[in-house]
Amino acid sequence: MAISDADMVIAWKNVLEQCNLRAGEQVAILMSDDSNMQIVNSARIAVGLLGGVLTLIHLPPINGDVALSRDKSGYVGKTPLAFNTAALAGLKAADMVIDTMQLLFSKEQEQILKTGTRMLLAVEPPETMLRMIPTPEAKAKVIAANRYMEPARQMTVTSKAGTDFRCGLGQYPVLMQYGLADEPGRWDHWPSCMIARWPDEGSAEGVIVIDEGDILLPFKHYARDRVSLTVEKGFVTEIRGGVTAEYMKAFMDSFDDPDAYAMAHVGWGLEQRASWTTLGLYDREAALSMDSRCFAGNFLFSTGPNTEAGGSRDTPCHLDIPLRGCSLSLDGVPMTVDGRVVA
Ligand SMILES: [Fe+2]
């Protein structure tokens, strides 16, 4: 269902206030030909209402001819900023960037954040953004989870479907997503409520079983049958199963890049307002499906790049796979049990 422009402006004002936007701050809205114009226009008004100094940066899209889908997460890391030095300089000079184009996993995003610019990604459908407006409570939940994640040195994950996975932690920083870019140099994505971390290099080991009904992104499919992934020394070395396994493998192989098989972020969802079911209710091209990534109690694992964590693997092939029914522990302390978040 559509969202009114007025509601969208009110929501942006709320979120930008929570991002500590002050009058006189430089705000750049980054957009491209496929940006959602309701998101762009309502953000423009809200920035104006709060006294922000607004710049719009409109870049032409790239990757359309090499990506295998229109999904913004289907081909990551390569952006027009790699050769547009004027736009990059403008974004670095801003106090805050609202990204409606999706720079995620790019070297340029890391460069912008290092200058102290805070960045908020906003690419989901407006109704999804409104259903999951960031709140202080959601932020508190993620910060509470980080009290376990930050000091943890080992993550273990098991499930009745057969997952038996472990990895070391500590080499890479924690990714806390609560939908607010509220500190200098902080990146976030509205809507989000999840926590994750990249495994220490070479430490991820075991078996991950994707069960029937688990979600595969960016394919936006519910798995039709079980898939068993063998993980050795930080890489997926075998994918076994039926047609879902075959599809997954064919997609990953098409990048012709061994780094596509590296384990990337691992963590869990904390958003009660997100739903496992929405993927079945939306057109596949309508959304990235942050619902799937954030629904409470999922074990979200991923493959491919680690540039976002400061690593050097910049493969454009990135899969996010949220599993239900998993039990995830940090240094032996349960965070989720059978797919439910432990307090
Ligand atoms: Fe991801």
Side-chain angles (χ1 to χ4, degrees):
M1 250 161 278
I3 293 294
S4 79
D5 291 344
D7 285 341
M8 203 59 201
V9 170
I10 291 166
W12 263 117
K13 194 161 167 283
N14 169 358
V15 169
L16 292 175
E17 281 169 345
Q18 291 190 75
C19 289
N20 300 316
L21 183 62
R22 305 267 178 261
E25 280 197 302
Q26 305 287 321
V27 182
I29 299 180
L30 179 64
M31 58 186 292
S32 190
D33 296 10
D34 57 354
S35 287
N36 179 312
M37 288 313 294
Q38 188 182 30
I39 295 176
V40 172
N41 289 329
S42 51
R44 286 173 67 169
I45 295 169
V47 169
L49 287 170
L50 292 170
V53 180
L54 181 67
T55 304
L56 287 176
I57 297 182
H58 189 141
L59 299 180
I62 61 166
N63 303 330
D65 53 342
V66 285
L68 292 177
S69 80
R70 292 194 203 170
D71 190 288
K72 289 169 186 289
S73 59
Y75 193 95
V76 298
K78 319 291 178 201
T79 83
L81 288 177
F83 40 84
N84 191 326
T85 51
L88 183 59
L91 294 166
K92 284 180 177 174
D95 296 302
M96 180 165 184
V97 172
I98 295 170
D99 177 7
T100 68
M101 190 186 94
Q102 193 160 326
L103 294 182
L104 191 55
F105 294 113
S106 66
K107 287 187 187 110
E108 295 76 33
Q109 174 167 301
E110 288 311 303
Q111 291 168 18
I112 294 163
L113 293 170
K114 280 208 177 91
T115 66
T117 301
R118 55 201 196 276
M119 295 184 70
L120 187 63
L121 179 64
V123 291
E124 281 288 77
E127 62 272 24
T128 309
M129 292 171 71
L130 254 72
R131 175 161 45 84
M132 294 189 275
I133 293 177
T135 62
E137 295 73 33
K139 176 179 171 177
K141 221 186 284 182
V142 176
I143 287 173
N146 191 41
R147 282 202 278 275
Y148 295 91
M149 187 70 120
E150 183 69 53
R153 291 299 164 260
Q154 195 183 47
M155 179 186 288
T156 52
V157 186
T158 58
S159 75
K160 292 191 175 104
T163 294
D164 187 3
F165 170 81
R166 71 213 78 85
C167 66
L169 300 172
Q171 182 178 352
Y172 292 113
V174 179
L175 175 69
M176 279 195 290
Q177 282 187 222
Y178 48 80
L180 299 169
D182 52 357
E183 286 168 25
R186 177 174 165 75
W187 174 91
D188 211 320
H189 183 182
W190 171 17
S192 293
C193 191
M194 54 181 260
I195 189 160
R197 199 166 194 175
W198 278 256
D200 294 350
E201 286 301 332
S203 73
E205 292 279 345
V207 177
I208 296 176
V209 177
I210 302 167
D211 205 357
E212 238 175 277
D214 286 332
I215 290 171
L216 298 142
L217 302 169
F219 312 149
K220 297 169 187 161
H221 286 157
Y222 293 98
R224 283 174 228 164
D225 43 17
R226 276 192 180 178
V227 181
S228 176
L229 284 76
T230 305
V231 182
E232 294 171 304
K233 297 191 174 81
F235 280 78
V236 176
T237 53
E238 199 183 359
I239 301 177
R240 278 176 296 123
V243 66
T244 307
E246 196 184 326
Y247 186 94
M248 220 177 132
K249 210 171 145 7
F251 178 82
M252 294 169 87
D253 282 344
S254 73
F255 287 82
D256 193 22
D257 182 351
D259 282 350
Y261 285 88
M263 282 297 293
H265 56 82
V266 288
W268 70 99
L270 287 157
E271 179 59 89
Q272 297 294 346
R273 297 171 296 179
S275 171
W276 169 72
T277 62
T278 51
L279 187 71
L281 301 167
Y282 266 82
D283 289 343
R284 302 244 304 286
E285 292 192 0
L288 285 180
S289 196
M290 288 307 286
D291 270 289
S292 304
R293 289 175 177 86
C294 294
F295 70 85
N298 81 55
F299 164 53
L300 176 63
F301 81 97
S302 74
T303 55
N306 65 0
T307 46
E308 202 189 346
S312 58
R313 263 197 305 274
D314 68 346
T315 175
C317 179
H318 179 55
L319 269 58
D320 278 329
I321 303 180
L323 305 184
R324 296 177 301 156
C326 290
S327 300
L328 183 154
S329 294
L330 295 173
D331 292 341
V333 182
M335 299 293 113
T336 70
V337 174
D338 296 337
R340 272 175 297 112
V341 177
V342 178

